[in-house]
Amino acid sequence: MFPSFGLVLLLGSTVLGGAAATRTCGSTLTDAEIVAAEKHFQANKVTTDQFSVTAATVKVYFHVISKDTTAAGGYVTDSQIKEQVNVLNKDFASTGLSYVLANTTRTVNSNWFINVGPSKSLQTTMKNALRQGGAADLNVYSVGFQSTADNGLLGYATFPSSYSRSPKDDGVVMLFSSLPGGSTTNYNLGRTLTHEVGHWVGLYHTFQGGCTAPGDSVDDTPAEASPASGCPVGRDTCAGGGPDPIHNFMDYSYDSCMTEFTPGQAARLRAQMSTYRKVNI
Ligand SMILES: *[C@@H]1O[C@H](CO)[C@@H](O)[C@H](O)[C@H]1NC(C)=O
Ligand SMILES: [Zn+2]
C-alpha cells in the first residue's frame, strides 16, 4: 500500500538526472502505490466547499539538529528560521494555507546530524524524541545528511494519508544549508522546504508517472517525462499539454526558478488537508 515514508529530493545534476533520483523517488512511490492512494482519496474525500473558511494556518514546530553550535555544524539562526517561514507564506499564498512558527527546539547531536536519513531507524528515534502537535501540525527537522548513503539529499517528507498509520513519523526532514542564506548553491532560497511541504500537504512531483496519465493527479500541471534541473525555459518533454512545468514548486528546478503552485494543486492540497489532517479549508 501507500508508503509511510515520503519522497526524497536529491541535490546535484548527477543524481537528479540519473538513475539514483529515479530509483530513490520511484521506489518510494510507484505508480501502483499512487493508484492505491488515489483510490482511497477519492473514496474518502472531504469536499472542501462544505466549509465556510477559505484559509487556514498551520503551526510549525522547527527542530534544529546540529553537530555543534557553529554555522557549519548546522546551528541555523532564529532569523534564518523566521525567513524560512516567510518564504513558506509567500509561496503558499495562493493556496489559502499560511504558516506560523509555534516553537523551535535545538538539539546538539552529531550522530543525528550526520546520519539521520530516510528509512533509517535513527530518524525514527529522532522523531519519537522531538515531534510535537497532531495531524494538522508541521514538524520540520534540519539535519546534515552527511552519511555516504544520504550525501546530496535536500529533504524528504511524509504524506497526509500516512499520518493515521505512523503519526510520529509525520513531517519534513531537510538539509540545514538549504534554508534561506544557507551555503548550498542554487538551493538556498528556502524552496526545499516549500517543495517538501508540498508533499506534506498531499502533492506529488510534477514528473510523477512521466508522460502517462494521471501523472501527478492534477489537471493543470502539464505532464513531464523526467525531473527538470536548473531552469530550462521552454523544455517540453511530453507531446501535447504544453511546456514542462519547470517553474512549479513540485519540480526539481533551482530555487530561483520555482515560482508557483497551480490552482489545481491548490484545490488538491486543500482536499488532502481536509480529508487526512482535518484542516477545514
Ligand atoms: C517548546 O519546546 C520545548 C521543548 O520540547 C518545550 O519545553 C516548550 O514548552 C515548548 N514551548 C512551547 C511554547 O510550546
Ligand atoms: Zn519531492
Side-chain angles (χ1 to χ4, degrees), residues 29-223:
L29 211 58
T30 64
D31 290 343
E33 285 164 340
I34 291 212
V35 167
E38 292 309 298
K39 196 173 163 190
H40 186 273
F41 182 40
Q42 292 309 323
N44 295 278
K45 195 170 184 175
V46 176
T47 51
T48 60
D49 55 10
Q50 73 189 72
F51 308 120
S52 54
V53 293
T54 56
T57 302
V58 172
K59 285 189 195 141
V60 180
Y61 294 93
F62 202 104
H63 307 285
V64 178
I65 317 302
S66 60
K67 189 160 58 178
D68 48 40
T69 55
T70 67
Y75 205 74
V76 299
T77 65
D78 286 341
S79 68
Q80 278 184 286
I81 296 168
K82 190 176 166 203
E83 184 52 33
Q84 177 67 79
V85 175
N86 289 344
V87 171
L88 279 185
N89 280 317
K90 182 165 168 275
D91 292 349
F92 279 87
S94 68
T95 71
L97 281 184
S98 60
Y99 299 85
V100 62
L101 187 62
N103 202 355
T104 303
T105 73
R106 292 180 180 274
T107 305
V108 175
N109 185 322
S110 62
N111 185 27
W112 290 1
F113 177 75
I114 293 166
N115 293 312
V116 157
S119 311
K120 284 187 187 161
S121 62
L122 198 61
Q123 70 112 30
T124 307
T125 306
M126 176 189 75
K127 288 173 170 177
N128 285 346
L130 297 179
R131 195 183 190 284
Q132 297 185 22
D137 301 315
L138 172 63
N139 281 253
V140 180
Y141 308 82
S142 64
V143 301
F145 294 135
Q146 291 182 348
S147 73
T148 306
D150 299 322
N151 201 10
L153 200 60
L154 283 173
Y156 61 98
T158 59
F159 287 91
S161 55
S162 305
Y163 181 83
S164 62
R165 195 171 51 252
S166 312
K168 281 285 190 186
D169 190 43
D170 187 71
V172 170
V173 183
M174 67 181 294
L175 180 64
F176 77 98
S177 51
S178 75
L179 261 74
S183 60
T184 304
T185 307
N186 296 321
Y187 305 96
N188 57 1
L189 301 178
R191 263 65 197 247
T192 289
L193 190 57
T194 298
H195 175 105
E196 295 306 332
V197 174
H199 292 313
W200 186 81
V201 299
L203 301 181
Y204 300 130
H205 290 136
T206 48
F207 50 85
Q208 180 68 45
C211 299
T212 308
D216 63 356
S217 298
V218 171
D219 289 338
D220 59 2
T221 51

